[in-house]
Amino acid sequence: MAPIVFYGEHTASLSLYLDGLAPDLASRITILSPSNLATDFTQLSAAGLAVYVRGFEHVVRSGLDDALARVGVPRAWFTDDDLTALRGEQPGFQFYTMKRVGRFAGRMLALVGTTAALCERLRSFHATVLYWPCVLDETRVPEGAANRSPSPRIGVVGGDFRRSGLRELVIPALEGVPDAELILAQPIGAGIPGAKMLTFEPDFRRFIEAWRAAGPNILAHPPGRTRNAEMKSAGTLLASLYLGAVPIVADEPAFAGLDRPDGVIRVAADVAHWREAVLQLAAPETRAQYFARLAAYCRAAFPPNGPRPAIDFLLAAAEARRQSSPATAWRPRLSYRAAAFTRTMLSSFQSR
């Protein structure tokens, strides 16, 4: 196993930052998807350093973090969102109070953020904060894919917090665009008629495959209503590039300073501006020009060595650890196992 183990699912939160790393950096990192906690402990306890990805409620409540601390495994926390901001906006984040995040952060060797703004936020919890930018995965960049359809095929991805932007801006804008097609996925597409619907796919690699098959040539990224907006990265640009689509994005901090020379159309929250942007990309030749600019921008902005300083810091800690004895057996706390059993039983009952 590589010295650094990222403990999390292979969603966009990892793919946009790990896939495409320079070979010497990639060889030092393993991704371990959570499964059986006792089995996960055995693998994590042999790591030089464990990196928790985004949510950490389960490693705290189960006692896994305590167990890793006892056997001397240094740990870091990687996040691409401010979970304390999401706490009051989205289900599933109620655990992440300021107090709990602060307590957890104090146990970590370092915190890792994906934007300058997020890193600044994380510094309120820890003195050592590492910046980890997006990384372009050259193997996923298609050739000339923006020419696939003569008419605009607009895809919209993102969380439910962008639903109002979709309904209030994108959909009304498309009413004035001849032959426009709309491609959506859950949850943002729920209840919107006339669109081609795709099943939500959390695994980023399978997501790219499914959406590329659907064939959008424009990726619309409407504004989101969230306090977390200023913390977000420009990873959507990489997703757009991998799909062979030209991005039309809201005027949000993640895209500040970007515009048409970069292959990006950044628009204000106005239906007329969104319609104008889509019409501008109606011609396949225009989309091809924008797509070439987008590829050039992403290659310059998201190089394979971008996270090297952060990785070098983590590697130094991982290499300093000398794990000579095998991991001891460990089981999650009884309270955690009881709660998990209850959730399983309730789920089974509700599905009948």
Side-chain angles (χ1 to χ4, degrees):
M1 181 175 285
I4 300 174
V5 179
F6 275 73
Y7 187 50
E9 302 291 348
H10 209 139
T11 65
S13 294
L14 279 184
S15 281
L16 291 173
Y17 304 96
L18 270 65
D19 299 350
L21 282 172
D24 67 310
L25 298 179
S27 68
R28 312 298 283 166
I29 294 171
T30 295
I31 297 175
L32 176 63
S33 296
S35 56
N36 177 278
L37 282 170
T39 303
D40 294 346
F41 169 74
T42 301
Q43 298 188 62
L44 291 170
S45 67
L49 181 139
V51 182
Y52 300 128
V53 179
R54 282 178 61 86
F56 55 79
E57 180 178 2
H58 62 299
V59 304
V60 171
R61 291 194 183 280
S62 67
L64 177 61
D65 185 61
D66 284 340
L68 291 175
R70 283 195 296 270
V71 297
V73 179
R75 291 97 59 223
W77 178 40
F78 175 98
T79 183
D80 57 352
D81 280 319
D82 177 4
L83 303 192
T84 63
L86 297 180
R87 180 175 181 268
E89 300 177 351
Q90 299 180 25
F93 291 94
Q94 291 303 306
F95 178 81
Y96 299 97
T97 62
M98 294 282 292
K99 183 177 180 179
R100 283 179 176 140
V101 172
R103 185 185 303 127
F104 175 77
R107 298 169 60 89
M108 299 297 105
L109 172 74
L111 308 186
V112 186
T114 53
T115 66
L118 182 54
C119 286
E120 186 61 31
R121 171 65 173 148
L122 293 175
R123 287 189 185 95
S124 65
F125 298 109
H126 202 289
T128 303
V129 176
L130 310 176
Y131 171 54
W132 192 303
C134 289
V135 175
L136 170 68
D137 183 355
E138 193 68 50
T139 66
R140 290 204 175 101
V141 181
E143 292 291 338
N147 283 316
R148 285 175 297 179
S149 172
S151 59
R153 306 189 71 188
I154 299 92
V156 182
V157 298
D160 205 41
F161 64 96
R162 297 192 186 276
R163 181 194 293 266
S164 60
L166 169 63
R167 288 181 175 271
E168 296 168 10
L169 296 171
V170 178
I171 292 177
L174 296 184
E175 292 174 359
V177 181
D179 302 321
E181 301 176 61
L182 186 61
I183 306 171
L184 303 173
Q186 303 290 4
I188 197 172
I192 296 178
K196 177 183 176 70
M197 297 298 298
L198 298 183
T199 302
F200 174 71
E201 176 50 70
D203 185 284
F204 189 71
R205 296 160 296 187
R206 292 196 293 267
F207 158 81
I208 292 297
E209 292 173 1
W211 275 76
R212 191 180 287 179
N217 48 41
I218 297 172
L219 191 69
H221 201 56
R225 292 179 177 171
T226 173
R227 293 187 296 124
N228 184 55
E230 63 182 295
M231 307 297 172
K232 287 191 167 294
S233 77
T236 296
L237 302 185
L238 286 179
S240 190
L241 181 69
Y242 299 156
L243 296 179
V246 177
I248 302 175
V249 302
D251 189 7
E252 294 182 335
F255 312 110
L258 299 179
D259 216 326
R260 287 159 174 78
D262 308 300
V264 180
I265 299 183
R266 183 165 49 91
V267 293
D270 177 86
V271 172
H273 286 97
W274 279 87
R275 182 180 295 120
E276 178 185 0
V278 176
L279 287 171
Q280 185 174 355
L281 296 174
E285 315 83 62
T286 304
R287 294 196 300 268
Q289 293 171 2
Y290 271 82
F291 186 75
R293 295 176 196 169
L294 176 67
Y297 171 78
C298 289
R299 288 187 174 108
F302 309 123
N305 281 305
R308 185 175 291 276
I311 296 174
D312 285 345
F313 179 92
L314 298 176
L315 273 175
E319 299 294 352
R321 180 180 186 244
R322 294 292 180 261
Q323 177 70 29
S324 57
S325 59
T328 56
W330 171 83
R331 295 184 70 190
R333 291 175 179 143
L334 179 60
S335 59
Y336 181 86
R337 284 183 277 140
F341 175 78
T342 301
R343 288 194 299 270
T344 301
M345 293 301 293
L346 284 174
S347 176
S348 175
F349 178 77
Q350 291 167 353
S351 66
R352 293 178 182 176

